[in-house]
Short mmCIF file of all heavy atoms in Angstrom, two decimals:
data_model
loop_
_atom_site.label_atom_id
_atom_site.label_comp_id
_atom_site.label_asym_id
_atom_site.label_seq_id
_atom_site.Cartn_x
_atom_site.Cartn_y
_atom_site.Cartn_z
N ILE A 157 45.96 110.31 91.28
CA ILE A 157 47.37 110.68 91.37
C ILE A 157 47.55 112.10 90.84
O ILE A 157 46.92 112.48 89.85
CB ILE A 157 48.26 109.67 90.60
CG1 ILE A 157 49.74 109.98 90.76
CG2 ILE A 157 47.87 109.61 89.13
CD1 ILE A 157 50.65 108.90 90.19
N GLY A 158 48.39 112.86 91.52
CA GLY A 158 48.69 114.20 91.05
C GLY A 158 49.63 114.17 89.86
O GLY A 158 50.30 113.18 89.60
N ASP A 159 49.66 115.26 89.11
CA ASP A 159 50.48 115.32 87.89
C ASP A 159 51.85 115.95 88.16
O ASP A 159 52.52 116.40 87.25
CB ASP A 159 49.76 116.10 86.79
CG ASP A 159 49.51 117.55 87.15
OD1 ASP A 159 49.80 117.97 88.29
OD2 ASP A 159 49.00 118.29 86.28
N GLY A 160 52.29 115.92 89.42
CA GLY A 160 53.55 116.58 89.80
C GLY A 160 54.79 115.76 89.55
O GLY A 160 54.87 114.92 88.65
N THR A 161 55.75 115.96 90.43
CA THR A 161 57.13 115.51 90.36
C THR A 161 57.42 114.26 89.55
O THR A 161 58.04 114.32 88.51
CB THR A 161 57.68 115.31 91.79
OG1 THR A 161 57.36 116.45 92.57
CG2 THR A 161 59.18 115.12 91.78
N THR A 162 57.00 113.11 89.99
CA THR A 162 57.34 111.85 89.31
C THR A 162 56.08 111.09 88.89
O THR A 162 56.07 109.87 88.83
CB THR A 162 58.19 110.96 90.24
OG1 THR A 162 57.44 110.72 91.44
CG2 THR A 162 59.51 111.60 90.58
N SER A 163 55.05 111.84 88.54
CA SER A 163 53.76 111.24 88.23
C SER A 163 53.80 110.24 87.07
O SER A 163 53.24 109.16 87.17
CB SER A 163 52.74 112.34 87.91
OG SER A 163 51.49 111.78 87.58
N THR A 164 54.46 110.60 85.99
CA THR A 164 54.48 109.72 84.82
C THR A 164 55.13 108.38 85.14
O THR A 164 54.59 107.32 84.80
CB THR A 164 55.22 110.40 83.64
OG1 THR A 164 54.55 111.63 83.35
CG2 THR A 164 55.20 109.52 82.41
N LYS A 165 56.26 108.42 85.81
CA LYS A 165 56.95 107.18 86.20
C LYS A 165 56.07 106.37 87.16
O LYS A 165 55.97 105.15 87.04
CB LYS A 165 58.30 107.50 86.83
CG LYS A 165 59.12 106.27 87.20
CD LYS A 165 60.49 106.71 87.66
CE LYS A 165 61.46 105.71 88.08
NZ LYS A 165 61.40 104.39 88.13
N MET A 166 55.42 107.03 88.10
CA MET A 166 54.55 106.34 89.05
C MET A 166 53.37 105.69 88.33
O MET A 166 52.98 104.57 88.65
CB MET A 166 54.06 107.30 90.12
CG MET A 166 53.06 106.68 91.09
SD MET A 166 53.71 105.27 92.00
CE MET A 166 54.88 106.09 93.06
N GLN A 167 52.81 106.38 87.36
CA GLN A 167 51.69 105.81 86.61
C GLN A 167 52.12 104.51 85.91
O GLN A 167 51.38 103.52 85.89
CB GLN A 167 51.18 106.80 85.58
CG GLN A 167 50.46 107.98 86.20
CD GLN A 167 50.10 109.02 85.17
OE1 GLN A 167 49.45 108.71 84.18
NE2 GLN A 167 50.53 110.26 85.38
N GLN A 168 53.32 104.50 85.35
CA GLN A 168 53.84 103.29 84.70
C GLN A 168 54.02 102.17 85.71
O GLN A 168 53.64 101.02 85.44
CB GLN A 168 55.17 103.60 84.01
CG GLN A 168 55.04 104.55 82.85
CD GLN A 168 56.39 105.07 82.35
OE1 GLN A 168 57.41 104.93 83.00
NE2 GLN A 168 56.36 105.70 81.19
N THR A 169 54.56 102.49 86.87
CA THR A 169 54.76 101.48 87.91
C THR A 169 53.44 100.92 88.40
O THR A 169 53.28 99.70 88.55
CB THR A 169 55.55 102.07 89.10
OG1 THR A 169 56.81 102.56 88.61
CG2 THR A 169 55.78 101.05 90.19
N LEU A 170 52.47 101.80 88.64
CA LEU A 170 51.14 101.34 89.08
C LEU A 170 50.50 100.43 88.06
O LEU A 170 49.89 99.42 88.41
CB LEU A 170 50.24 102.55 89.36
CG LEU A 170 50.58 103.36 90.61
CD1 LEU A 170 49.81 104.68 90.60
CD2 LEU A 170 50.28 102.57 91.87
N ALA A 171 50.64 100.76 86.77
CA ALA A 171 50.08 99.93 85.70
C ALA A 171 50.72 98.55 85.66
O ALA A 171 50.07 97.55 85.34
CB ALA A 171 50.22 100.63 84.36
N GLU A 172 51.99 98.46 86.01
CA GLU A 172 52.68 97.17 86.06
C GLU A 172 52.24 96.34 87.26
O GLU A 172 52.01 95.14 87.14
CB GLU A 172 54.20 97.38 86.12
CG GLU A 172 54.79 97.95 84.85
CD GLU A 172 56.24 98.39 85.02
OE1 GLU A 172 56.85 98.11 86.07
OE2 GLU A 172 56.77 99.04 84.09
N VAL A 173 52.10 96.99 88.42
CA VAL A 173 51.75 96.28 89.65
C VAL A 173 50.26 95.92 89.69
O VAL A 173 49.89 94.83 90.12
CB VAL A 173 52.12 97.13 90.89
CG1 VAL A 173 51.67 96.46 92.18
CG2 VAL A 173 53.63 97.38 90.94
N LEU A 174 49.42 96.84 89.21
CA LEU A 174 47.96 96.66 89.24
C LEU A 174 47.39 96.94 87.85
O LEU A 174 46.83 98.01 87.58
CB LEU A 174 47.34 97.61 90.27
CG LEU A 174 47.81 97.47 91.71
CD1 LEU A 174 47.42 98.68 92.54
CD2 LEU A 174 47.25 96.19 92.31
N PRO A 175 47.50 95.98 86.91
CA PRO A 175 47.13 96.23 85.52
C PRO A 175 45.68 96.64 85.30
O PRO A 175 45.38 97.34 84.33
CB PRO A 175 47.43 94.90 84.82
CG PRO A 175 48.11 94.03 85.80
CD PRO A 175 48.04 94.65 87.14
N ALA A 176 44.76 96.24 86.16
CA ALA A 176 43.34 96.58 85.98
C ALA A 176 42.98 97.94 86.59
O ALA A 176 41.83 98.38 86.49
CB ALA A 176 42.46 95.49 86.59
N LEU A 177 43.95 98.61 87.20
CA LEU A 177 43.70 99.85 87.92
C LEU A 177 43.39 101.00 86.96
O LEU A 177 44.13 101.24 86.00
CB LEU A 177 44.95 100.21 88.74
CG LEU A 177 44.86 101.39 89.69
CD1 LEU A 177 43.89 101.08 90.84
CD2 LEU A 177 46.23 101.71 90.25
N GLU A 178 42.30 101.70 87.21
CA GLU A 178 41.99 102.93 86.47
C GLU A 178 42.77 104.06 87.14
O GLU A 178 42.66 104.26 88.35
CB GLU A 178 40.49 103.23 86.53
CG GLU A 178 40.14 104.56 85.92
CD GLU A 178 38.70 105.00 86.19
OE1 GLU A 178 38.03 104.39 87.04
OE2 GLU A 178 38.28 105.97 85.56
N ILE A 179 43.55 104.79 86.36
CA ILE A 179 44.36 105.88 86.91
C ILE A 179 43.76 107.21 86.48
O ILE A 179 43.56 107.46 85.29
CB ILE A 179 45.83 105.76 86.45
CG1 ILE A 179 46.42 104.45 86.98
CG2 ILE A 179 46.64 106.96 86.91
CD1 ILE A 179 47.82 104.15 86.49
N VAL A 180 43.46 108.05 87.47
CA VAL A 180 42.90 109.37 87.23
C VAL A 180 43.94 110.40 87.68
O VAL A 180 44.35 110.40 88.84
CB VAL A 180 41.58 109.58 88.01
CG1 VAL A 180 41.03 110.98 87.80
CG2 VAL A 180 40.56 108.51 87.62
N VAL A 181 44.38 111.24 86.75
CA VAL A 181 45.42 112.23 87.02
C VAL A 181 44.77 113.57 87.34
O VAL A 181 43.89 114.03 86.61
CB VAL A 181 46.38 112.37 85.82
CG1 VAL A 181 47.48 113.38 86.12
CG2 VAL A 181 46.99 111.01 85.47
N CYS A 182 45.21 114.18 88.45
CA CYS A 182 44.68 115.47 88.90
C CYS A 182 45.73 116.56 88.76
O CYS A 182 46.91 116.31 88.99
CB CYS A 182 44.26 115.39 90.36
SG CYS A 182 42.94 114.24 90.66
N ASP A 183 45.29 117.75 88.43
CA ASP A 183 46.17 118.90 88.32
C ASP A 183 46.62 119.33 89.71
O ASP A 183 45.79 119.59 90.58
CB ASP A 183 45.41 120.03 87.62
CG ASP A 183 46.26 121.28 87.44
OD1 ASP A 183 47.48 121.25 87.70
OD2 ASP A 183 45.69 122.29 87.00
N GLU A 184 47.92 119.39 89.94
CA GLU A 184 48.47 119.78 91.24
C GLU A 184 48.92 121.25 91.26
O GLU A 184 49.49 121.69 92.26
CB GLU A 184 49.69 118.92 91.59
CG GLU A 184 49.36 117.55 92.07
CD GLU A 184 50.59 116.85 92.63
OE1 GLU A 184 51.67 117.45 92.74
OE2 GLU A 184 50.47 115.67 92.97
N ALA A 185 48.68 121.98 90.21
CA ALA A 185 49.15 123.37 90.13
C ALA A 185 48.66 124.17 91.33
O ALA A 185 47.47 124.17 91.64
CB ALA A 185 48.69 124.02 88.84
N HIS A 186 49.59 124.79 92.03
CA HIS A 186 49.32 125.68 93.17
C HIS A 186 48.72 124.96 94.39
O HIS A 186 48.22 125.62 95.29
CB HIS A 186 48.41 126.85 92.75
CG HIS A 186 48.93 127.57 91.55
ND1 HIS A 186 50.08 128.35 91.58
CD2 HIS A 186 48.49 127.61 90.27
CE1 HIS A 186 50.29 128.86 90.38
NE2 HIS A 186 49.35 128.41 89.57
N SER A 187 48.78 123.64 94.43
CA SER A 187 48.19 122.91 95.57
C SER A 187 48.92 123.21 96.88
O SER A 187 48.30 123.25 97.94
CB SER A 187 48.14 121.41 95.30
OG SER A 187 49.43 120.89 95.11
N THR A 188 50.23 123.42 96.82
CA THR A 188 50.98 123.73 98.04
C THR A 188 50.53 125.08 98.61
O THR A 188 50.28 125.20 99.82
CB THR A 188 52.50 123.75 97.76
OG1 THR A 188 52.88 122.46 97.29
CG2 THR A 188 53.29 124.08 99.01
N GLU A 189 50.38 126.06 97.74
CA GLU A 189 49.92 127.37 98.19
C GLU A 189 48.50 127.31 98.75
O GLU A 189 48.18 127.92 99.76
CB GLU A 189 49.98 128.40 97.04
CG GLU A 189 51.38 128.73 96.59
CD GLU A 189 51.92 127.76 95.53
OE1 GLU A 189 51.21 126.79 95.17
OE2 GLU A 189 53.05 127.95 95.07
N GLU A 190 47.63 126.53 98.11
CA GLU A 190 46.25 126.40 98.57
C GLU A 190 46.17 125.71 99.92
O GLU A 190 45.26 125.98 100.70
CB GLU A 190 45.42 125.64 97.54
CG GLU A 190 45.18 126.43 96.27
CD GLU A 190 44.45 125.62 95.21
OE1 GLU A 190 43.92 124.54 95.53
OE2 GLU A 190 44.40 126.07 94.06
#
Side-chain angles (χ1 to χ4, degrees):
I157 184 171
D159 63 355
T161 312
T162 58
S163 179
T164 302
K165 183 173 180 1
M166 176 60 70
Q167 290 174 55
Q168 294 168 347
T169 302
L170 289 167
E172 291 169 9
V173 176
L174 301 165
L177 187 67
E178 173 191 12
I179 298 175
V180 178
V181 181
C182 297
D183 181 8
E184 283 190 5
H186 308 291
S187 61
T188 300
E189 293 87 357
E190 290 175 13

